[in-house]
Amino acid sequence: AFPALDLIRLYALDTAHSKIIQTRLRWMVKRFVLIKSTGVGERASCMMALRTAVNLLFHEDVSEALLEEDSEVLMDATVEGLQHEHAQVRMAALSLVLNVAISVRNGVPLDESSSVRLVCALAERLAEEATSSSEVGMLLGAIAAFSEGDEDSKLLAKTLDIDTQSIAKREAGNLSAAALQLQELLNV
């Protein structure tokens, strides 16, 4: 499945194919992301399905349709991807979250429960000790992007009291630009 999914992921960037692929994304996500299989082939297919969703969000009209019509399955896939045991799948899910946050910031509506669910999943992943430095930066960036674009997410991030200073200590004192942006947003 992996080579075919890689081609579909690339076709998703083309406007002429994006709507057709969007209609099949729900099946792809259910088949390749939500099956909880850990074999190498399944892991690669899971990653490609998530990256296909990322590429579809590149198109404004398709991103609106995805976030309105398929938001539940897309959120399930994203949360599942963020909790995956393999870093590459988590990074693909993080890319999807960042692209969803950008779409929301650009005016594409996302229901309140989805944005709250994503911020909770991001904060949960951030709290895990085994999270890599590059992943921490993306997690903080995604929380900051949601907090900037959605008042409910900002309130939730404040309520969760994400301690950017402790995270910086854990990351050997390197407070990323994303952490600084989040700290600024939450201290306002």
Side-chain angles (χ1 to χ4, degrees):
F2 170 75
L5 286 172
D6 197 25
L7 287 173
I8 291 169
R9 174 186 66 86
L10 294 172
Y11 275 121
L13 289 170
D14 181 29
T15 306
H17 298 99
S18 62
K19 287 194 183 221
I20 295 166
I21 294 170
Q22 186 255 326
T23 63
R24 305 288 191 270
L25 184 66
R26 180 181 297 221
W27 174 84
M28 287 172 53
V29 164
K30 284 181 179 179
R31 169 67 179 87
F32 297 111
V33 180
L34 300 176
I35 57 170
K36 298 187 187 224
S37 214
T38 57
V40 174
E42 291 86 358
R43 184 174 64 235
S45 297
C46 176
M47 189 172 52
M48 286 302 113
L50 289 168
R51 287 183 177 170
T52 299
V54 169
N55 288 354
L56 287 173
L57 288 173
F58 174 75
H59 308 284
E60 194 173 315
D61 57 333
V62 175
S63 69
E64 283 184 38
L66 272 176
L67 295 179
E68 288 175 14
E69 299 165 18
D70 297 319
S71 70
E72 186 176 334
V73 75
L74 199 59
M75 296 308 113
D76 289 346
T78 305
V79 170
E80 186 69 34
L82 287 171
Q83 297 168 349
H84 203 278
E85 65 183 299
H86 295 284
Q88 291 177 320
V89 175
R90 288 194 308 271
M91 294 304 270
L94 270 169
S95 295
L96 181 55
V97 172
L98 285 166
N99 280 275
V100 168
I102 290 167
S103 293
V104 168
R105 216 165 50 186
N106 290 338
V108 175
L110 182 65
D111 64 279
E112 181 181 321
S113 65
S114 293
S115 60
V116 166
R117 187 172 174 205
L118 286 177
V119 171
C120 284
L122 292 165
E124 184 179 308
R125 182 70 200 150
L126 190 60
E128 293 183 22
E129 291 293 323
T131 306
S132 70
S133 292
S134 60
E135 196 174 346
V136 166
M138 287 182 73
L139 287 162
L140 290 169
I143 293 170
F146 270 107
S147 297
E148 189 176 349
D150 180 63
E151 283 302 313
D152 292 325
S153 297
K154 183 176 183 177
L155 181 61
L156 177 61
K158 278 185 176 184
T159 304
L160 291 172
D161 195 26
I162 298 167
D163 186 357
T164 53
Q165 296 301 324
S166 293
I167 293 167
K169 286 178 189 171
R170 187 176 88 195
E171 296 302 312
N174 297 325
L175 197 60
S176 69
L180 291 171
Q181 179 187 10
L182 181 60
Q183 193 174 34
E184 229 172 73
L185 280 167
L186 299 181
N187 288 331
V188 173

